[in-house]
Amino acid sequence: MKIQRICVLGSTGTIGENTLDVIARHPQSLSVYALSAYSRIERLAAQALATGAAVVVVPDDAARRRFLQAWTGTARPPEIRIGEEALVQTAAEPCVTTVMAAIVGAAGLPSALAAARAGKRILLANKEALVAAGSLFMRCVRENNAELLPIDSEHNAIFQCLPAVGHAQARTEPAKGVRRLLLTASGGPFRTVALETLADVTPDQACAHPNWRMGRKISVDSATMLNKGLEVIEAHWLFAMPVERIQVVVHPQSMVHSMVEYQDGSILAQLGQPDMRTPIAYGLGFPERIDSGVGLLSLAALGRLDFEEPDFGRFPCLRLSFDALRCGQAACVALNAANEVAVAHFLGRQIRYTEISRIIEQSLDRQAGQASRALDSLEDVLALDGETRTFAAELCLAC
Ligand code: NAD
Ligand code: MG
């Protein structure tokens, strides 16, 4: 395997922790250069000690002090950098070969873009960056010869099922012979509950995903299936695939992680345990296969695999995502920003679960009523993202 010095952005999250687990299994070739966290600073200090990271990035001076208080090492603590600029700078540093982009939300966009601009191997877990700035991000990957490896399990599965030609480079057209991409979705914790109970579900119920252990924001997104909607948009950009050739299939067991359908009628699928260390190990080892620590999948013990059509009535957020992708990039920015605001308010118990889709829909309506605008730069994207957040926050307050 290629020797890599890795920057793990969002190291204290679910993806970050899983990444460090895989890295620790390959001390000969993989080492950590930098880690970043927004909260759980004590955990960051423990990670920095265990990995020997040279740099950590924290949000502010209070977090820097907390880091130093939590530092138990006898050696000198790592260099502590502060703020978003430091994330951007660290992701682009010459000694870094590989960046794991695992910050949640559009907050992960500037640093992921910086990694692309610096031509790194990018392990892209953050999906909001691609939803908000797909064309900008992919252009940046292409122009700077960055290597892009999707970590989201569905996209990693599709990547594995596609022909290997020019693989980790940004595509400009769909792979030859491919008819459709089939994204699987578990349907989350509310796939079968009575619709009238949804208005009263709690954040903990929404975060209790039947198959995956994930951060709270993506867990709520999985419950609403907005997550699958974001993944449809993500697939559109990653694989240069038109929206009408991307289909969602509900598969409650989460063992088939997604599929590629070919012109000749073949469907290739990637299967495995629902454990993010598999796609992470794939990204780190690429093009080789390396140990991930994930247990084997026994098909006989599993017995059956079920598939069904998604229910757009139960999951309005999925429909809204398809609508946004058809409308264009500004709508996708609005979809993502409104969702981040609505989910944060739901997790803070300020709005009901069923308000999430309503707030997104109204934010999309507002966007549709405005003159079309160019989104050619990070600044353009962030400006629209900010405006939508203000609008969505007002809607939340009025709930
Ligand atoms: P998480 O909430 O567990 O962790 C998020 C990380 O980002 C933490 O380290 C946190 O400190 C940091 N962070 C949060 N807000 C930040 C900000 N404003 N600035 C800088 N850092 C910030 O999330 P997760 O489940 O690990 O997911 C991370 C990303 O990967 C998300 O975009 C998610 O959609 C995507 N993803 C996750 C999974 C999964 O299984 N967890 C699967 C596919 C994709
Ligand atoms: Mg996924």
Side-chain angles (χ1 to χ4, degrees), residues 242 310 360 397:
I360 296 172
L397 283 180

Side-chain angles (χ1 to χ4, degrees), residues 14-191:
T14 319
I15 296 288
E17 294 270 18
N18 278 316
T19 305
L20 296 183
D21 181 288
V22 178
I23 291 173
R25 291 167 195 277
H26 303 278
Q28 304 298 332
S29 8
L30 304 179
S31 65
V32 170
Y33 171 70
L35 300 170
S36 91
Y38 197 70
S39 55
R40 297 183 71 213
I41 301 300
E42 290 69 23
R43 181 75 200 128
L44 179 69
Q47 289 179 337
L49 190 59
T51 58
V55 171
V56 294
V57 185
V58 298
D60 50 30
D61 205 50
R64 190 185 67 84
R65 284 196 300 273
R66 267 174 56 209
F67 184 92
L68 288 173
Q69 276 162 13
W71 183 254
T72 56
T74 46
R76 275 197 16 222
E79 179 188 340
I80 307 174
R81 298 179 184 168
I82 292 177
E84 191 169 283
E85 248 327 291
L87 287 173
V88 166
Q89 175 205 341
T90 308
E93 218 160 307
C95 69
V96 170
T97 58
T98 307
V99 174
M100 163 54 86
I103 289 174
V104 60
L109 173 56
S111 50
L113 210 51
R117 202 164 282 137
K120 307 296 184 193
R121 167 177 288 201
I122 306 163
L123 274 53
L124 188 67
N126 174 296
K127 57 189 80 188
E128 296 88 351
L130 217 43
V131 170
S135 76
L136 186 65
F137 185 79
M138 295 307 285
R139 195 172 68 225
C140 214
V141 168
R142 220 171 12 251
E143 287 176 358
N144 297 285
N145 268 327
E147 209 182 1
L148 182 59
L149 293 153
I151 298 303
D152 207 343
S153 59
E154 294 74 7
H155 307 80
N156 189 268
I158 289 169
F159 189 86
Q160 293 193 40
C161 295
L162 283 172
V165 190
H167 220 29
Q169 274 73 52
R171 288 180 188 279
T172 48
E173 54 185 41
K176 277 213 171 69
V178 171
R179 184 149 57 191
R180 287 186 309 171
L181 304 179
L182 309 177
L183 289 176
T184 50
S186 69
F190 304 140
R191 183 173 62 89

Side-chain angles (χ1 to χ4, degrees), residues 174-182 241-242 244-246 260-267:
K176 277 213 171 69
V178 171
R179 184 149 57 191
R180 287 186 309 171
L181 304 179
L182 309 177
M241 191 58 78
E244 60 280 3
R245 288 166 63 190
I246 305 174
V260 175
E261 184 184 69
Y262 285 86
Q263 258 162 19
D264 61 6
S266 301
I267 293 180

Side-chain angles (χ1 to χ4, degrees), residues 117-307:
R117 202 164 282 137
K120 307 296 184 193
R121 167 177 288 201
I122 306 163
L123 274 53
L124 188 67
N126 174 296
K127 57 189 80 188
E128 296 88 351
L130 217 43
V131 170
S135 76
L136 186 65
F137 185 79
M138 295 307 285
R139 195 172 68 225
C140 214
V141 168
R142 220 171 12 251
E143 287 176 358
N144 297 285
N145 268 327
E147 209 182 1
L148 182 59
L149 293 153
I151 298 303
D152 207 343
S153 59
E154 294 74 7
H155 307 80
N156 189 268
I158 289 169
F159 189 86
Q160 293 193 40
C161 295
L162 283 172
V165 190
H167 220 29
Q169 274 73 52
R171 288 180 188 279
T172 48
E173 54 185 41
K176 277 213 171 69
V178 171
R179 184 149 57 191
R180 287 186 309 171
L181 304 179
L182 309 177
L183 289 176
T184 50
S186 69
F190 304 140
R191 183 173 62 89
T192 55
V193 304
L195 281 180
E196 57 277 12
T197 60
L198 286 180
D200 296 320
V201 298
T202 65
D204 284 347
Q205 286 171 320
C207 288
H209 196 279
N211 306 332
W212 294 96
R213 200 181 54 81
M214 306 181 287
R216 284 173 81 77
K217 190 263 174 183
I218 181 175
S219 296
V220 176
D221 289 350
S222 298
T224 60
M225 281 190 80
L226 190 279
N227 181 52
K228 208 50 53 183
L230 298 181
E231 290 180 357
V232 168
I233 302 170
E234 204 184 348
H236 164 75
W237 289 113
L238 281 173
F239 305 116
M241 191 58 78
V243 56
E244 60 280 3
R245 288 166 63 190
I246 305 174
Q247 200 192 335
V248 174
V249 186
V250 174
H251 164 51
Q253 290 96 350
S254 297
M255 295 295 172
V256 176
H257 298 308
S258 277
M259 297 170 265
V260 175
E261 184 184 69
Y262 285 86
Q263 258 162 19
D264 61 6
S266 301
I267 293 180
L268 300 194
Q270 186 259 351
L271 283 76
Q273 298 282 4
D275 186 322
M276 289 305 291
R277 289 176 302 172
T278 296
I280 291 167
Y282 182 89
L284 286 169
F286 183 83
E288 288 171 38
R289 298 278 179 169
I290 61 169
D291 178 36
S292 65
V294 176
L296 297 178
L297 168 62
S298 163
L299 290 174
L302 186 64
R304 57 185 276 179
L305 298 170
D306 296 308
F307 299 96

Side-chain angles (χ1 to χ4, degrees), residues 136 377-384:
L136 186 65
S377 68
L378 178 61
E379 291 67 36
D380 294 341
V381 170
L382 294 180
L384 177 57

